[in-house]
Amino acid sequence: MTTPISPPEVMTRLRQFTSQIHKTLEELPFSQAILKETLPLPLYIGQLEAYLPVYRALEKQCVAQLHFPAMHAIWQADLAKTPWLVEDLAYFKYTEIPAIPVQRATIAFLRFVQKATPYDLLGILYTMEGSTLGSRVLLPHLQTSYSLQNQGVQYYFGYGENTDCHWQDFKARMNSTLIDLEAQNQVIESALQTFAHVKSLLTVLWESG
């Protein structure tokens, strides 16, 4: 009797398909400036301002799609990042009208989220949730750059010491839920498009400085 072949895990496939663009993001001038502790404060705040409407839309869409079985199985309230962004921006009490290219990139990202199907949303969620792992690496550089402790960097602080555990839980839910190859492919394509939007946004933010 032939043993059925188990489908590949979606998180393994996501990592494989997005590894190159993930590396590209790490090499962007914006990302390198954080590591070198030379990123101008207005650009850091600009990233938080641009991310806020995107996360608000993503979280609203995910909650609205909880009737969809896969979303119901994966989404949890503690995946929300909006409170961290709101807290960080309130700390700086700094607002500046973003450059037109930054506005356009933010709006394009926002519309992408707003038009997403449930599986598309899970691809976006994968990309944005995965950023919490990299954020922990960047956190001390931001704290040093702007003489910050905890305030102003809650988004990058993320889940703190529980970040790895939180990621493993998310990973397990994704793998146990998304076993259909066609669904996996849709999630992967959405994740790639999300990475492209993040790249576009960080690029125009850097150029605006």
Side-chain angles (χ1 to χ4, degrees):
M1 186 175 183
T2 304
T3 303
I5 300 174
S6 299
E9 292 187 329
V10 67
M11 293 295 277
T12 299
R13 296 187 69 209
L14 278 162
R15 185 176 68 253
Q16 292 171 342
F17 277 90
T18 64
S19 61
Q20 185 56 53
I21 192 167
H22 189 272
K23 182 179 179 181
T24 299
L25 286 182
E26 292 177 340
E27 295 172 349
L28 289 178
F30 187 100
S31 305
Q32 288 299 306
I34 295 179
L35 289 172
K36 296 174 183 176
E37 300 176 1
T38 58
L39 184 71
L41 180 58
L43 296 192
Y44 168 65
I45 297 173
Q47 181 193 27
L48 301 180
E49 289 179 328
Y51 274 8
L52 180 56
V54 172
Y55 272 102
R56 274 183 172 152
L58 175 59
E59 291 157 17
K60 180 180 179 181
Q61 291 284 82
C62 288
V63 171
Q65 294 294 337
L66 282 176
H67 62 279
F68 187 72
M71 183 64 71
H72 183 78
I74 294 169
W75 173 259
Q76 292 183 352
D78 61 2
L79 291 171
K81 308 294 186 298
T82 293
W84 300 343
L85 290 163
V86 169
E87 187 175 337
D88 287 341
L89 289 169
Y91 170 76
F92 289 110
K93 299 178 182 178
Y94 173 93
T95 57
E96 181 176 292
I97 298 175
I100 296 298
V102 177
Q103 293 182 41
R104 288 174 177 164
T106 303
I107 291 171
F109 199 169
L110 180 59
R111 288 177 175 169
F112 169 66
V113 173
Q114 291 172 331
K115 295 179 180 179
T117 68
Y119 284 132
D120 292 338
L121 289 170
L122 291 173
I124 300 169
L125 192 61
Y126 162 82
T127 303
M128 305 310 279
E129 186 64 19
S131 69
T132 60
L133 300 176
S135 294
R136 290 291 291 169
V137 175
L138 300 175
L139 175 64
H141 297 286
L142 293 169
Q143 290 172 314
T144 300
S145 296
Y146 313 126
S147 301
L148 301 172
Q149 294 299 318
N150 296 322
Q151 292 183 310
V153 287
Q154 285 300 306
Y155 173 75
Y156 275 83
F157 183 79
Y159 307 104
E161 297 303 317
N162 294 320
T163 296
D164 287 340
C165 181
H166 201 276
W167 174 254
Q168 290 303 318
D169 288 344
F170 174 75
K171 179 179 177 180
R173 296 198 303 277
M174 289 281 283
N175 281 335
S176 63
T177 303
L178 299 170
I179 58 176
D180 177 76
L181 281 178
E182 187 174 337
Q184 288 186 8
N185 290 341
Q186 190 172 340
V187 171
I188 290 168
E189 178 58 31
S190 177
L192 288 169
Q193 291 182 52
T194 305
F195 272 109
H197 278 289
V198 173
K199 177 186 175 184
S200 175
L201 183 55
L202 296 184
T203 299
V204 294
L205 268 168
W206 177 256
E207 292 171 350
S208 73

